[in-house]
Amino acid sequence: MGVERDKVMAGETPANPATQVLRARVPYSPAVPEADLKQRLLQTLAASAERETELHRLLEEPPPTDPTVWGAKDHVAHLAHWRRYAAQVLTAVRTGTPVPDAVDVDTVNAEVHSTNRGRSADDIKEEALATYAELARAIDDCSDDDLLKAREGRETLAWEVVPPNGHLHLGEHLGFWHQAHGDEAAAEQAQKWMLEIHEAAFTDPRSRAFGEYNLACYYARQGRAADCIPHLRRSLELHPALKEWAVKDADLDPIRDKPEVRAILG
């Protein structure tokens, strides 16, 4: 995903314990209703927990023989790590304790991948479900004022750690998974799902800009300039400060030389 991360099926399935915990508080519907900030965060997390079962059903598949290629376990373990990080950030901001460090994200990601490579599918799934519950509790423990506290050393508020480590992160990795398996339609659908959840829950211009920008980055990585440009343009209209990031974002490199993109980025 190009924008700030803390760097950055058909058929019946068994009930997801993490989703059940969340739904006990905030029943999720496809069109997330307007509500207070805590409610909206919990709703997006419930949607993410439900959608992640798409990867959980694949955890028993044999891992790729190439260690550089991610299997379902690698994606799920990675997503779980960053959800736990988001929970730790919220707790630190709420309690006034030091926020966990995530400066060298590439190193952290490599360590997470290496550490979890040999773990069983059951262990990975159990941890994934646990981190959904942990993040839900961390959100619920925060007051509205806590969620609106500034994060030390960042130009973001505490609550803004949740979307890029929740539904936005999951949508990105679902796209990676489906692309690796040659299903571009499913990859694109995951990105549209991500934007739908995001826009339904967060209506402020900054949040809407991030949702648009992430979809623009998906299309850019595919070299689909015509599909990318409307979302890129809209994201910068909603939040002009994103341009500073966009001019150096590697996600846009495949289409950066297009005249329309050059004009947008100035």
Side-chain angles (χ1 to χ4, degrees):
M1 181 184 351
V3 88
E4 194 258 350
R5 160 152 21 268
D6 289 280
K7 170 175 179 187
V8 205
M9 290 183 186
E12 292 292 320
T13 58
N16 183 326
T19 307
Q20 289 178 329
V21 168
L22 292 162
R23 284 181 171 173
R25 301 181 192 280
V26 282
Y28 171 73
S29 62
V32 181
E34 285 294 332
D36 65 21
L37 180 56
K38 182 185 294 189
Q39 181 98 338
R40 283 180 272 159
L41 291 170
L42 288 169
Q43 286 167 333
T44 63
L45 198 60
S48 184
E50 182 71 18
R51 186 64 189 259
E52 194 172 305
T53 60
E54 186 175 330
L55 288 174
H56 292 186
R57 289 194 290 269
L58 302 168
L59 287 173
E60 295 289 354
E61 290 191 353
T65 55
D66 183 347
T68 66
V69 176
W70 282 27
K73 285 200 309 180
D74 300 308
H75 285 285
V76 173
H78 173 92
L79 291 164
H81 172 86
W82 288 107
R83 276 193 301 274
R84 178 163 285 148
Y85 168 77
Q88 291 169 342
V89 168
L90 288 180
T91 299
V93 172
R94 176 176 61 83
T95 59
T97 53
V99 175
D101 182 22
V103 175
D104 191 353
V105 173
D106 290 338
T107 297
V108 172
N109 286 340
E111 290 174 350
V112 170
H113 182 251
S114 175
T115 299
N116 290 284
R117 190 80 173 166
R119 295 178 64 196
S120 71
D122 286 343
D123 283 349
I124 296 294
K125 182 176 180 180
E126 182 179 353
E127 182 167 9
L129 298 178
T131 61
Y132 272 111
E134 287 173 24
L135 183 50
R137 283 194 298 270
I139 294 168
D140 203 36
D141 286 344
C142 288
S143 66
D144 289 340
D145 287 342
D146 290 330
L147 293 171
L148 295 172
K149 287 179 180 177
R151 287 179 59 190
E152 186 176 353
R154 292 179 179 267
E155 296 180 0
T156 57
L157 303 179
W159 74 268
E160 291 180 283
V161 74
V162 177
N165 293 291
H167 61 285
L168 295 179
H169 201 185
L170 174 61
E172 179 186 32
H173 278 263
L174 287 172
F176 293 156
W177 171 266
H178 289 301
Q179 285 172 335
H181 290 78
D183 193 340
E184 291 294 340
E188 183 174 12
Q189 191 279 331
Q191 309 313 300
K192 291 180 176 180
W193 166 84
M194 176 176 67
L195 182 60
E196 177 184 353
I197 296 299
H198 194 74
E199 288 190 334
F202 308 110
T203 59
D204 63 287
R206 178 188 170 97
S207 293
R208 289 169 57 207
F210 286 167
E212 292 279 355
Y213 187 79
N214 283 316
L215 184 55
C217 286
Y218 164 76
Y219 286 129
R221 291 194 299 269
Q222 313 314 308
R224 295 169 57 177
D227 292 316
C228 167
I229 287 168
H231 297 286
L232 179 61
R233 180 180 292 114
R234 182 63 175 151
S235 70
L236 299 185
E237 289 172 351
L238 288 166
H239 187 43
L242 265 177
K243 183 181 289 189
E244 182 178 352
W245 176 271
V247 296
K248 61 184 180 182
D249 189 353
D251 280 355
L252 299 179
D253 287 352
I255 64 167
R256 192 174 297 280
D257 290 338
K258 298 291 185 182
E260 300 96 324
V261 176
R262 291 202 302 269
I264 293 171
L265 298 180

